[in-house]
Amino acid sequence: GLPYVVAGRALYDTLEVRDLAALVRLVLEPSDRRALAHVLRGPLVALSEGGLLSLFRDEEGRPFAFDLHGSVLDRAAFPEEAARLETFRRRFAEVRPTLLRLRAPEALRRAMQWFDLDRVTAALPRAAPRLGNLDRLVHIAQERGGSLFSFSRWLERRIADETDEPEAVVFSAEDDAIRLLTIH
């Protein structure tokens, strides 16, 4: 029951950064099945494993190419998930053209707002560090400059290479909490 703070050096390994990176990949390339599965299973749509599998399999259980615009989730079997998927599809179709025209930092900010990633993240445990990590990613995009496409490629390389970057610092010396330092 003791209060604690967590900070690390793995910004690109945090779920919130990977969620945003997958959303950006999907905006840039809607046929990216890996990005699509990540977004559908993540906090933006929150499909169950059963719901996700039903989208990628036909009635006989054979895999098929799910398409963000064409395939439908069975409303009888997954009523809430089907509604969330439809909401996401509608919003994706509305905002994608605008996001594609924006530079990376503004596109990241708008994507977080328009897809409610900031609101969803704020409702998760450790909300302050998670939101700080998203803000840190926008700041990195601002420093790098360039298009959303070039930033996405750069970010994917950092994630694949497991490049270390400090997470956002959201605690201060006045925090009444335990901090643990490890040396490797």
Side-chain angles (χ1 to χ4, degrees):
L2 298 172
Y4 63 93
V5 291
V6 178
R9 294 194 44 84
L11 176 70
Y12 304 128
D13 198 34
T14 62
L15 283 175
E16 57 276 8
V17 167
R18 288 182 180 236
D19 290 338
L20 185 54
L23 178 60
V24 167
R25 278 195 328 271
L26 191 60
V27 165
L28 293 169
E29 184 51 59
S31 64
D32 184 332
R33 289 172 52 99
R34 188 171 57 103
L36 178 60
H38 186 109
V39 168
L40 294 179
R41 188 74 173 103
L44 293 178
V45 183
L47 293 186
S48 65
E49 288 178 16
L52 185 63
L53 284 174
S54 75
L55 286 172
F56 288 92
R57 303 216 178 258
D58 64 15
E59 291 79 28
E60 286 83 41
R62 294 180 305 237
F64 72 95
F66 172 75
D67 150 3
L68 184 59
H69 305 292
S71 304
V72 179
L73 189 60
D74 181 4
R75 285 194 178 279
F78 306 98
E80 292 175 12
E81 294 178 45
R84 287 193 304 269
L85 178 58
E86 286 309 312
T87 299
F88 177 79
R89 280 180 167 157
R90 228 178 359 266
R91 185 165 294 151
F92 186 84
E94 289 169 9
V95 303
R96 181 174 180 260
T98 302
L99 290 174
L100 289 171
R101 290 190 302 265
L102 297 173
R103 300 198 49 79
E106 187 60 25
L108 293 175
R109 273 193 220 93
R110 295 271 181 99
M112 286 189 293
Q113 293 168 349
W114 289 340
F115 289 101
D116 293 328
L117 185 58
D118 50 356
R119 185 184 55 78
V120 170
T121 301
L124 295 173
R126 296 187 59 240
R130 290 175 189 270
L131 290 169
N133 288 337
L134 292 172
D135 287 341
R136 179 145 169 67
L137 188 64
V138 171
H139 180 74
I140 290 169
Q142 183 72 42
E143 287 178 343
R144 284 196 44 78
S147 70
L148 184 59
F149 178 77
S150 66
F151 183 74
S152 176
R153 297 283 305 260
W154 176 86
L155 180 57
E156 285 303 308
R157 284 192 303 275
R158 295 299 170 277
I159 290 171
D161 295 344
E162 298 180 6
T163 303
D164 281 342
E165 179 73 32
E167 289 185 64
V169 177
V170 293
F171 57 88
S172 69
E174 294 81 38
D175 287 340
D176 184 23
I178 295 172
R179 290 178 207 94
L180 179 65
L181 170 68
T182 61
I183 301 173
H184 302 270

